[in-house]
Coordinates of all heavy atoms in Angstrom, one line a residue:
M1479 N -52.1 70.7 9.2 CA -53.1 69.8 9.0 C -52.7 68.4 9.3 O -53.5 67.6 10.0 CB -53.4 70.0 7.5 CG -54.4 69.0 7.0 SD -56.0 69.5 7.5 CE -57.1 68.5 6.6
K1480 N -51.5 68.0 9.0 CA -51.0 66.7 9.3 C -50.9 66.5 10.9 O -51.3 65.5 11.5 CB -49.6 66.4 8.7 CG -49.1 65.0 8.9 CD -47.8 64.8 8.2 CE -47.2 63.5 8.4 NZ -46.0 63.3 7.7
L1481 N -50.5 67.6 11.5 CA -50.4 67.5 13.0 C -51.8 67.3 13.7 O -51.9 66.6 14.6 CB -49.7 68.7 13.6 CG -49.5 68.8 15.1 CD1 -48.6 67.7 15.5 CD2 -49.0 70.2 15.5
N1482 N -52.8 68.1 13.2 CA -54.1 67.9 13.7 C -54.7 66.5 13.5 O -55.4 66.0 14.3 CB -55.1 68.9 13.0 CG -54.8 70.3 13.5 OD1 -54.2 70.5 14.5 ND2 -55.1 71.3 12.7
F1483 N -54.4 65.9 12.3 CA -54.9 64.6 12.0 C -54.3 63.5 13.0 O -54.9 62.7 13.6 CB -54.6 64.1 10.6 CG -54.9 62.8 10.3 CD1 -56.3 62.4 10.1 CD2 -54.0 61.8 10.1 CE1 -56.6 61.0 9.8 CE2 -54.3 60.5 9.8 CZ -55.7 60.2 9.7
R1484 N -52.9 63.7 13.2 CA -52.2 62.8 14.0 C -52.7 63.0 15.5 O -52.9 62.0 16.2 CB -50.7 63.0 14.0 CG -49.9 61.9 14.7 CD -48.5 61.8 14.5 NE -47.9 63.1 13.9 CZ -46.6 63.2 13.7 NH1 -45.8 62.2 13.8 NH2 -46.1 64.3 13.1
L1485 N -52.9 64.2 16.0 CA -53.4 64.4 17.3 C -54.8 63.8 17.5 O -55.0 63.2 18.4 CB -53.4 65.9 17.6 CG -53.8 66.4 19.0 CD1 -52.9 65.8 20.0 CD2 -53.9 67.8 19.0
G1486 N -55.6 64.0 16.5 CA -57.0 63.5 16.6 C -57.0 61.9 16.6 O -57.7 61.3 17.3
Y1487 N -56.1 61.3 15.8 CA -55.9 59.9 15.8 C -55.5 59.4 17.1 O -56.0 58.4 17.6 CB -54.9 59.5 14.6 CG -54.6 58.1 14.6 CD1 -55.6 57.1 14.1 CD2 -53.4 57.6 14.9 CE1 -55.3 55.8 13.9 CE2 -53.1 56.2 14.8 CZ -54.1 55.3 14.4 OH -53.8 54.0 14.2
K1488 N -54.5 60.1 17.7 CA -54.0 59.6 19.1 C -55.0 59.8 20.1 O -55.2 58.9 21.0 CB -52.8 60.4 19.5 CG -51.5 60.2 18.6 CD -50.8 58.9 19.1 CE -49.5 58.8 18.3 NZ -48.6 57.8 18.8
L1489 N -55.8 60.8 20.0 CA -56.9 61.0 20.9 C -57.9 60.0 20.8 O -58.4 59.5 21.9 CB -57.5 62.4 20.7 CG -58.5 62.9 21.7 CD1 -57.9 63.0 23.1 CD2 -59.1 64.2 21.4
I1490 N -58.3 59.6 19.6 CA -59.3 58.5 19.5 C -58.8 57.1 20.1 O -59.5 56.4 20.8 CB -59.7 58.3 18.0 CG1 -60.4 59.5 17.5 CG2 -60.4 57.1 17.7 CD1 -60.6 59.5 16.0
L1491 N -57.4 56.9 19.8 CA -56.8 55.6 20.4 C -56.8 55.6 21.8 O -57.1 54.6 22.5 CB -55.5 55.5 19.8 CG -55.3 55.1 18.3 CD1 -53.9 55.0 17.9 CD2 -56.0 53.8 18.0
I1492 N -56.5 56.7 22.5 CA -56.4 56.8 23.9 C -57.8 56.7 24.5 O -58.0 56.1 25.6 CB -55.8 58.1 24.3 CG1 -54.2 58.0 24.0 CG2 -56.0 58.4 25.9 CD1 -53.4 59.3 24.3
T1493 N -58.9 57.3 23.8 CA -60.2 57.2 24.3 C -60.7 55.7 24.2 O -61.2 55.2 25.2 CB -61.2 58.0 23.4 OG1 -60.7 59.4 23.5 CG2 -62.6 57.9 23.9
L1494 N -60.4 55.0 23.1 CA -60.6 53.6 23.0 C -59.9 52.8 24.1 O -60.5 51.8 24.6 CB -60.4 53.0 21.6 CG -61.3 53.6 20.5 CD1 -60.7 53.1 19.1 CD2 -62.6 53.2 20.8
L1495 N -58.7 53.2 24.3 CA -57.9 52.5 25.4 C -58.5 52.6 26.7 O -58.7 51.6 27.5 CB -56.4 53.0 25.3 CG -55.6 52.3 26.4 CD1 -55.1 51.0 25.9 CD2 -54.3 53.3 26.6
F1496 N -59.0 53.8 27.1 CA -59.6 54.0 28.4 C -60.9 53.3 28.5 O -61.3 52.7 29.5 CB -59.7 55.4 28.7 CG -58.5 56.1 29.2 CD1 -57.8 57.1 28.5 CD2 -58.0 55.7 30.5 CE1 -56.7 57.6 29.0 CE2 -56.8 56.3 31.0 CZ -56.2 57.2 30.3
I1497 N -61.7 53.2 27.3 CA -62.9 52.5 27.4 C -62.6 51.0 27.6 O -63.4 50.3 28.4 CB -63.7 52.8 26.1 CG1 -64.3 54.2 26.1 CG2 -64.9 51.7 25.9 CD1 -64.9 54.6 24.8
S1498 N -61.6 50.5 26.9 CA -61.3 49.0 27.0 C -60.7 48.8 28.5 O -61.1 47.7 29.1 CB -60.3 48.6 26.1 OG -59.0 49.2 26.3
G1499 N -60.1 49.7 29.1 CA -59.7 49.6 30.5 C -60.8 49.6 31.4 O -60.8 48.8 32.4
L1500 N -61.9 50.3 31.1 CA -63.0 50.4 32.0 C -63.8 49.0 31.9 O -64.3 48.4 32.9 CB -64.0 51.5 31.6 CG -63.6 52.9 32.1 CD1 -64.5 53.9 31.5 CD2 -63.5 53.0 33.5
I1501 N -63.8 48.5 30.7 CA -64.5 47.2 30.5 C -63.7 46.1 31.1 O -64.2 45.2 31.8 CB -64.6 46.9 29.0 CG1 -65.7 47.9 28.3 CG2 -65.0 45.4 28.7 CD1 -65.7 47.8 26.8
I1502 N -62.3 46.1 31.0 CA -61.5 45.1 31.7 C -61.6 45.1 33.2 O -61.9 44.1 33.8 CB -60.0 45.3 31.2 CG1 -59.8 44.9 29.8 CG2 -59.0 44.4 32.1 CD1 -58.5 45.2 29.2
A1503 N -61.5 46.3 33.7 CA -61.6 46.5 35.2 C -63.0 46.3 35.7 O -63.2 45.8 36.9 CB -61.0 47.8 35.7
G1504 N -64.0 46.7 35.0 CA -65.3 46.7 35.5 C -66.1 45.4 35.3 O -67.1 45.1 36.0
I1505 N -65.8 44.7 34.2 CA -66.6 43.6 33.8 C -65.7 42.3 33.8 O -66.1 41.3 34.4 CB -67.2 43.7 32.4 CG1 -68.2 45.0 32.5 CG2 -67.9 42.6 31.9 CD1 -68.7 45.3 31.1
I1506 N -64.6 42.3 33.1 CA -63.8 41.1 32.9 C -63.2 40.6 34.2 O -63.2 39.5 34.6 CB -62.7 41.3 31.8 CG1 -63.5 41.5 30.5 CG2 -61.9 40.1 31.7 CD1 -62.6 41.8 29.3
F1507 N -62.5 41.6 35.0 CA -61.9 41.2 36.2 C -62.9 40.6 37.3 O -62.7 39.6 37.8 CB -61.2 42.4 37.0 CG -59.9 42.8 36.3 CD1 -59.2 43.8 36.7 CD2 -59.3 42.0 35.2 CE1 -57.9 44.1 36.1 CE2 -58.2 42.3 34.7 CZ -57.4 43.4 35.1
P1508 N -64.1 41.2 37.5 CA -65.0 40.6 38.4 C -65.5 39.2 37.9 O -65.7 38.3 38.7 CB -66.2 41.5 38.4 CG -65.6 42.8 38.1 CD -64.6 42.5 37.1
V1509 N -65.7 39.0 36.6 CA -66.2 37.8 36.1 C -65.1 36.7 36.2 O -65.3 35.5 36.6 CB -66.6 37.9 34.5 CG1 -66.8 36.5 33.9 CG2 -67.9 38.7 34.4
L1510 N -63.9 37.1 36.0 CA -62.7 36.1 36.2 C -62.7 35.7 37.7 O -62.4 34.6 38.0 CB -61.4 36.8 35.9 CG -61.0 36.8 34.4 CD1 -59.7 37.6 34.2 CD2 -60.9 35.4 33.9
G1511 N -62.9 36.6 38.7 CA -62.9 36.3 40.0 C -64.1 35.3 40.4 O -63.9 34.4 41.3
I1512 N -65.1 35.3 39.7 CA -66.2 34.5 40.0 C -66.0 33.1 39.3 O -66.3 32.0 39.9 CB -67.6 35.1 39.5 CG1 -67.9 36.3 40.4 CG2 -68.7 34.0 39.6 CD1 -69.1 37.1 39.8
V1513 N -65.6 33.1 38.0 CA -65.5 31.9 37.2 C -64.2 31.0 37.6 O -64.4 29.8 37.6 CB -65.4 32.3 35.7 CG1 -65.3 31.1 34.8 CG2 -66.8 33.0 35.3
S1514 N -63.1 31.6 37.8 CA -62.0 30.8 38.0 C -61.4 30.8 39.4 O -61.9 31.7 40.3 CB -60.8 31.2 37.1 OG -60.4 32.5 37.3
K1515 N -60.6 29.9 39.8 CA -60.0 29.9 41.1 C -59.1 31.0 41.3 O -58.6 31.6 40.3 CB -59.3 28.6 41.3 CG -60.2 27.4 41.3 CD -59.5 26.1 41.5 CE -60.6 25.0 41.5 NZ -59.9 23.7 41.6
P1516 N -58.7 31.4 42.5 CA -57.9 32.7 42.8 C -56.6 32.7 42.0 O -56.2 33.7 41.5 CB -57.8 32.6 44.3 CG -58.9 31.8 44.8 CD -59.2 30.9 43.7
T1517 N -55.8 31.6 42.1 CA -54.4 31.7 41.6 C -54.5 31.9 39.9 O -53.8 32.7 39.5 CB -53.7 30.4 41.9 OG1 -53.6 30.2 43.2 CG2 -52.3 30.4 41.4
P1518 N -55.3 31.0 39.3 CA -55.2 31.3 37.7 C -56.0 32.7 37.4 O -55.5 33.4 36.5 CB -56.2 30.2 37.2 CG -56.3 29.2 38.2 CD -56.0 29.8 39.5
S1519 N -56.9 33.1 38.3 CA -57.6 34.3 38.0 C -56.5 35.5 38.2 O -56.6 36.5 37.4 CB -58.6 34.6 39.1 OG -59.3 35.8 39.0
K1520 N -55.7 35.5 39.1 CA -54.6 36.5 39.3 C -53.7 36.6 38.1 O -53.3 37.6 37.6 CB -53.9 36.3 40.6 CG -52.9 37.4 40.8 CD -52.1 37.2 42.1 CE -51.1 38.3 42.4 NZ -50.7 39.1 41.4
S1521 N -53.3 35.3 37.6 CA -52.4 35.3 36.4 C -53.1 35.9 35.2 O -52.4 36.6 34.4 CB -51.8 33.9 36.2 OG -52.8 33.1 35.8
Y1522 N -54.4 35.6 35.0 CA -55.2 36.1 33.9 C -55.3 37.7 34.0 O -55.0 38.4 33.1 CB -56.6 35.6 33.8 CG -56.6 34.1 33.6 CD1 -57.6 33.3 34.1 CD2 -55.6 33.5 32.8 CE1 -57.7 31.9 33.9 CE2 -55.7 32.1 32.5 CZ -56.7 31.4 33.1 OH -56.8 30.0 32.8
R1523 N -55.6 38.2 35.2 CA -55.6 39.5 35.5 C -54.3 40.3 35.2 O -54.2 41.3 34.5 CB -56.1 39.9 36.8 CG -57.6 39.7 37.1 CD -58.1 40.2 38.4 NE -57.2 40.0 39.5 CZ -57.3 39.0 40.4 NH1 -58.4 38.1 40.3 NH2 -56.5 38.9 41.4
D1524 N -53.2 39.7 35.7 CA -51.9 40.2 35.4 C -51.5 40.3 33.9 O -51.0 41.4 33.5 CB -50.8 39.5 36.2 CG -50.9 39.7 37.7 OD1 -51.6 40.7 38.1 OD2 -50.3 38.9 38.4
A1525 N -51.9 39.3 33.2 CA -51.6 39.2 31.8 C -52.5 40.4 31.0 O -52.0 41.0 30.2 CB -52.0 37.9 31.2
L1526 N -53.8 40.5 31.5 CA -54.6 41.6 30.8 C -54.0 43.0 31.1 O -54.0 43.9 30.3 CB -56.1 41.5 31.3 CG -56.9 40.4 30.7 CD1 -58.2 40.2 31.3 CD2 -57.0 40.8 29.2
K1527 N -53.7 43.2 32.4 CA -53.1 44.5 32.8 C -51.8 44.7 32.0 O -51.6 45.9 31.5 CB -52.7 44.5 34.3 CG -53.9 44.7 35.2 CD -53.5 44.9 36.6 CE -53.2 43.5 37.3 NZ -52.9 43.6 38.7
L1528 N -50.9 43.8 31.8 CA -49.7 44.0 31.1 C -50.0 44.3 29.6 O -49.4 45.1 29.0 CB -48.7 42.7 31.2 CG -47.4 42.9 30.7 CD1 -46.6 44.0 31.3 CD2 -46.7 41.6 30.8
M1529 N -51.0 43.6 29.0 CA -51.4 43.8 27.7 C -51.9 45.2 27.4 O -51.5 45.9 26.6 CB -52.4 42.8 27.2 CG -52.9 42.9 25.8 SD -54.1 41.7 25.4 CE -55.5 42.1 26.4
W1530 N -52.7 45.7 28.4 CA -53.3 47.0 28.4 C -52.2 48.1 28.5 O -52.2 49.1 27.8 CB -54.3 47.2 29.5 CG -55.1 48.5 29.5 CD1 -56.2 48.6 28.7 CD2 -54.8 49.7 30.1 NE1 -56.7 49.9 28.9 CE2 -55.9 50.6 29.7 CE3 -53.8 50.1 30.9 CZ2 -55.8 51.9 30.2 CZ3 -53.9 51.4 31.4 CH2 -54.9 52.3 31.0
L1531 N -51.3 47.9 29.4 CA -50.1 48.8 29.6 C -49.2 48.8 28.3 O -48.7 50.0 27.9 CB -49.3 48.5 30.8 CG -50.0 48.8 32.1 CD1 -49.2 48.1 33.2 CD2 -50.1 50.3 32.3
N1532 N -49.1 47.7 27.7 CA -48.2 47.7 26.4 C -49.0 48.4 25.3 O -48.3 49.1 24.5 CB -47.9 46.2 26.0 CG -46.8 45.7 26.8 OD1 -45.9 46.4 27.2 ND2 -46.9 44.4 27.1
W1533 N -50.3 48.3 25.2 CA -51.1 49.1 24.3 C -50.9 50.6 24.5 O -50.7 51.4 23.6 CB -52.5 48.8 24.3 CG -53.0 47.4 23.8 CD1 -52.3 46.6 23.0 CD2 -54.2 46.8 24.1 NE1 -53.0 45.5 22.8 CE2 -54.2 45.6 23.4 CE3 -55.3 47.1 24.8 CZ2 -55.3 44.7 23.4 CZ3 -56.4 46.3 25.0 CH2 -56.3 45.1 24.2
F1534 N -51.0 51.0 25.7 CA -50.8 52.4 26.1 C -49.4 52.9 25.7 O -49.3 54.0 25.1 CB -51.0 52.5 27.7 CG -51.4 53.9 28.1 CD1 -52.2 54.0 29.3 CD2 -51.2 55.1 27.4 CE1 -52.6 55.3 29.7 CE2 -51.7 56.3 27.8 CZ -52.3 56.4 28.9
K1535 N -48.4 52.1 26.1 CA -47.0 52.4 25.7 C -46.9 52.6 24.2 O -46.3 53.5 23.7 CB -46.1 51.3 26.2 CG -44.7 51.6 26.0 CD -43.8 50.5 26.5 CE -43.9 49.3 25.5 NZ -42.9 48.3 25.7
A1536 N -47.5 51.7 23.4 CA -47.4 51.7 22.0 C -48.1 53.0 21.4 O -47.6 53.6 20.5 CB -47.9 50.5 21.3
I1537 N -49.3 53.3 21.9 CA -50.0 54.4 21.4 C -49.3 55.7 21.7 O -49.2 56.6 20.8 CB -51.4 54.5 22.1 CG1 -52.3 53.4 21.6 CG2 -52.1 55.9 21.9 CD1 -53.6 53.3 22.4
L1538 N -48.6 55.9 22.8 CA -47.9 57.1 23.1 C -46.5 57.1 22.6 O -45.8 58.1 22.5 CB -47.8 57.2 24.6 CG -49.1 57.5 25.4 CD1 -49.0 57.6 26.8 CD2 -49.8 58.7 24.8
G1539 N -46.0 56.0 22.0 CA -44.7 55.9 21.5 C -43.7 55.9 22.5 O -42.5 56.4 22.2
L1540 N -43.9 55.4 23.7 CA -42.9 55.3 24.8 C -41.9 54.3 24.5 O -42.2 53.2 24.1 CB -43.6 55.1 26.1 CG -44.6 56.1 26.7 CD1 -45.2 55.6 28.0 CD2 -43.9 57.4 26.8
Q1541 N -40.6 54.6 24.8 CA -39.5 53.7 24.8 C -39.0 53.6 26.2 O -38.5 54.6 26.8 CB -38.5 54.1 23.9 CG -38.9 54.2 22.4 CD -37.8 54.6 21.5 OE1 -36.7 55.0 21.9 NE2 -38.1 54.5 20.2
I1542 N -39.1 52.4 26.8 CA -38.7 52.3 28.2 C -37.3 51.7 28.2 O -37.1 50.6 27.6 CB -39.8 51.4 29.0 CG1 -41.1 52.1 28.9 CG2 -39.3 51.2 30.4 CD1 -42.2 51.3 29.5
R1543 N -36.5 52.3 28.9 CA -35.1 51.8 29.1 C -34.8 51.4 30.6 O -35.1 52.2 31.4 CB -34.1 52.9 28.6 CG -32.7 52.4 28.5 CD -31.8 53.5 28.0 NE -32.1 54.8 28.7 CZ -32.0 56.0 28.1 NH1 -31.7 56.1 26.8 NH2 -32.2 57.1 28.8
T1544 N -34.3 50.2 30.8 CA -34.0 49.8 32.1 C -32.6 49.7 32.3 O -31.9 49.3 31.4 CB -34.7 48.6 32.6 OG1 -34.4 47.6 31.6 CG2 -36.3 48.7 32.4
T1545 N -32.0 50.0 33.6 CA -30.7 49.7 33.8 C -30.7 48.9 35.1 O -31.4 49.1 36.0 CB -29.9 51.0 34.1 OG1 -30.5 51.8 35.0 CG2 -29.8 51.9 32.8
G1546 N -29.7 48.0 35.2 CA -29.6 47.1 36.3 C -30.6 46.0 36.3 O -31.4 45.8 35.4
N1547 N -30.6 45.2 37.3 CA -31.5 44.0 37.5 C -32.4 44.2 38.6 O -32.1 44.7 39.6 CB -30.6 42.7 37.5 CG -29.8 42.4 36.4 OD1 -30.2 42.6 35.3 ND2 -28.6 41.9 36.7
A1548 N -33.6 43.6 38.4 CA -34.5 43.6 39.5 C -34.0 42.6 40.6 O -33.5 41.5 40.2 CB -35.9 43.3 39.0
P1549 N -34.3 42.9 41.8 CA -33.9 42.0 42.9 C -34.6 40.7 42.8 O -35.8 40.7 42.4 CB -34.1 42.6 44.2 CG -35.0 43.7 43.8 CD -34.9 44.1 42.4
D1550 N -34.1 39.5 43.3 CA -34.8 38.2 43.2 C -35.6 38.0 44.5 O -36.3 37.0 44.6 CB -33.7 37.1 43.2 CG -33.0 37.1 41.9 OD1 -33.5 37.6 40.9 OD2 -31.8 36.6 41.8
F1551 N -35.6 39.0 45.4 CA -36.4 38.9 46.6 C -37.5 39.9 46.6 O -37.5 40.9 45.8 CB -35.5 39.0 47.9 CG -34.7 40.3 47.8 CD1 -35.2 41.5 48.3 CD2 -33.4 40.3 47.3 CE1 -34.4 42.7 48.2 CE2 -32.6 41.4 47.2 CZ -33.1 42.6 47.6
A1552 N -38.5 39.8 47.5 CA -39.6 40.7 47.6 C -39.1 42.1 48.0 O -38.2 42.2 48.9 CB -40.6 40.2 48.6
C1553 N -39.6 43.1 47.4 CA -39.2 44.5 47.7 C -40.2 45.4 47.3 O -41.3 45.1 46.7 CB -37.9 44.8 46.8 SG -38.1 44.9 45.2
L1554 N -40.1 46.7 47.7 CA -41.1 47.7 47.5 C -40.5 48.7 46.6 O -39.4 49.3 46.8 CB -41.5 48.4 48.8 CG -42.4 49.6 48.8 CD1 -43.7 49.1 48.3 CD2 -42.5 50.3 50.1
T1555 N -41.1 49.0 45.5 CA -40.6 50.0 44.5 C -41.4 51.3 44.8 O -42.6 51.4 44.9 CB -40.9 49.6 43.1 OG1 -40.3 48.4 42.8 CG2 -40.5 50.6 42.0
V1556 N -40.7 52.4 44.9 CA -41.2 53.7 45.2 C -40.9 54.7 44.2 O -39.8 54.7 43.7 CB -40.6 54.2 46.6 CG1 -41.2 55.6 47.0 CG2 -40.9 53.2 47.8
S1557 N -42.0 55.5 43.8 CA -41.7 56.4 42.7 C -42.2 57.8 43.3 O -43.2 57.9 44.1 CB -42.6 56.0 41.5 OG -42.5 57.1 40.6
N1558 N -41.5 58.8 42.9 CA -41.9 60.2 43.3 C -43.0 60.8 42.4 O -43.3 61.9 42.5 CB -40.8 61.1 43.5 CG -39.9 61.3 42.2 OD1 -40.3 60.7 41.1 ND2 -38.9 62.1 42.2
H1559 N -43.4 60.0 41.4 CA -44.4 60.5 40.4 C -44.1 61.9 39.8 O -44.8 62.8 40.1 CB -45.9 60.4 41.1 CG -46.4 59.1 41.2 ND1 -46.7 58.3 40.0 CD2 -46.6 58.2 42.2 CE1 -47.2 57.2 40.4 NE2 -47.1 57.1 41.7
I1560 N -43.1 61.9 39.1 CA -42.7 63.2 38.3 C -43.8 63.5 37.3 O -44.1 64.5 37.0 CB -41.3 63.1 37.7 CG1 -40.3 62.9 38.8 CG2 -41.0 64.2 36.8 CD1 -38.9 62.6 38.3
S1561 N -44.3 62.4 36.7 CA -45.4 62.6 35.7 C -46.4 61.4 35.8 O -46.1 60.5 36.5 CB -44.8 62.7 34.3 OG -44.4 61.4 33.9
W1562 N -47.5 61.5 35.0 CA -48.5 60.5 35.1 C -48.1 59.2 34.3 O -48.6 58.2 34.4 CB -49.8 61.0 34.5 CG -49.8 61.6 33.1 CD1 -49.5 62.8 32.7 CD2 -50.0 60.8 32.0 NE1 -49.5 62.9 31.4 CE2 -49.7 61.7 30.8 CE3 -50.4 59.5 31.7 CZ2 -49.9 61.4 29.5 CZ3 -50.5 59.1 30.3 CH2 -50.3 60.0 29.3
L1563 N -46.9 59.4 33.6 CA -46.4 58.3 32.8 C -45.7 57.3 33.7 O -45.4 56.2 33.2 CB -45.4 58.8 31.7 CG -46.1 59.6 30.5 CD1 -44.9 60.1 29.7 CD2 -47.0 58.8 29.8
D1564 N -45.3 57.7 34.9 CA -44.7 56.8 35.8 C -45.5 55.5 36.1 O -45.0 54.4 36.2 CB -44.5 57.5 37.2 CG -43.5 58.5 37.2 OD1 -42.8 58.7 36.1 OD2 -43.3 59.3 38.2
I1565 N -46.9 55.7 36.1 CA -47.8 54.6 36.3 C -47.6 53.5 35.2 O -47.5 52.2 35.4 CB -49.2 55.0 36.5 CG1 -49.3 55.9 37.7 CG2 -50.2 53.8 36.6 CD1 -50.6 56.7 37.7
I1566 N -47.5 54.0 34.0 CA -47.4 53.1 32.9 C -46.0 52.4 32.8 O -45.9 51.2 32.6 CB -47.6 53.9 31.6 CG1 -49.1 54.5 31.5 CG2 -47.4 53.0 30.3 CD1 -49.2 55.6 30.5
V1567 N -45.0 53.2 33.1 CA -43.7 52.6 33.1 C -43.5 51.6 34.2 O -42.9 50.5 34.0 CB -42.6 53.8 33.2 CG1 -41.2 53.2 33.4 CG2 -42.6 54.8 32.0
L1568 N -43.9 52.0 35.4 CA -43.7 51.0 36.5 C -44.6 49.7 36.3 O -44.3 48.7 36.8 CB -44.0 51.7 37.9 CG -43.0 52.7 38.3 CD1 -43.5 53.4 39.5 CD2 -41.7 52.1 38.5
G1569 N -45.7 49.9 35.6 CA -46.6 48.8 35.4 C -46.0 47.7 34.5 O -46.1 46.6 34.7

């Protein structure tokens, strides 16, 4: 019974998360592109994406552990997509 409640609760949270993602990507991002200049608009979009990914991480209870330092120069990160969680972790 407790497991079913927790599963239902997580399912509701993930559904709300995806609805908020659709609103952010479908409404807020285009409005930001129209209302603000390109540079601030990109930083606002990046902040919203990071916030959304952190919500996703919290709902799923993910703990991300990093080793090493990111390079200080431009580079390309490649993932072999072992699971769909790679997108959240790389984000």
Side-chain angles (χ1 to χ4, degrees):
M1479 177 75 168
K1480 186 177 179 181
L1481 180 64
N1482 289 337
F1483 176 75
R1484 189 169 18 183
L1485 182 64
Y1487 177 70
K1488 293 274 186 176
L1489 188 61
I1490 289 170
L1491 288 178
I1492 289 174
T1493 302
L1494 291 173
L1495 181 76
F1496 278 113
I1497 290 170
S1498 70
L1500 289 173
I1501 292 169
I1502 290 170
I1505 297 172
I1506 296 175
F1507 283 177
V1509 169
L1510 279 174
I1512 294 169
V1513 173
S1514 67
K1515 295 180 181 179
T1517 303
S1519 176
K1520 182 177 178 348
S1521 63
Y1522 296 146
R1523 286 193 314 264
D1524 290 345
L1526 279 172
K1527 284 187 277 188
L1528 188 60
M1529 182 180 63
W1530 189 86
L1531 289 167
N1532 283 327
W1533 288 343
F1534 206 155
K1535 183 180 77 166
I1537 289 171
L1538 294 179
L1540 294 177
Q1541 294 180 354
I1542 300 173
R1543 185 178 50 213
T1544 58
T1545 57
N1547 296 323
D1550 293 334
F1551 51 88
C1553 67
L1554 176 67
T1555 302
V1556 179
S1557 172
N1558 60 358
H1559 284 289
I1560 294 172
S1561 74
W1562 60 273
L1563 293 175
D1564 292 350
I1565 298 165
I1566 299 163
V1567 171
L1568 291 174

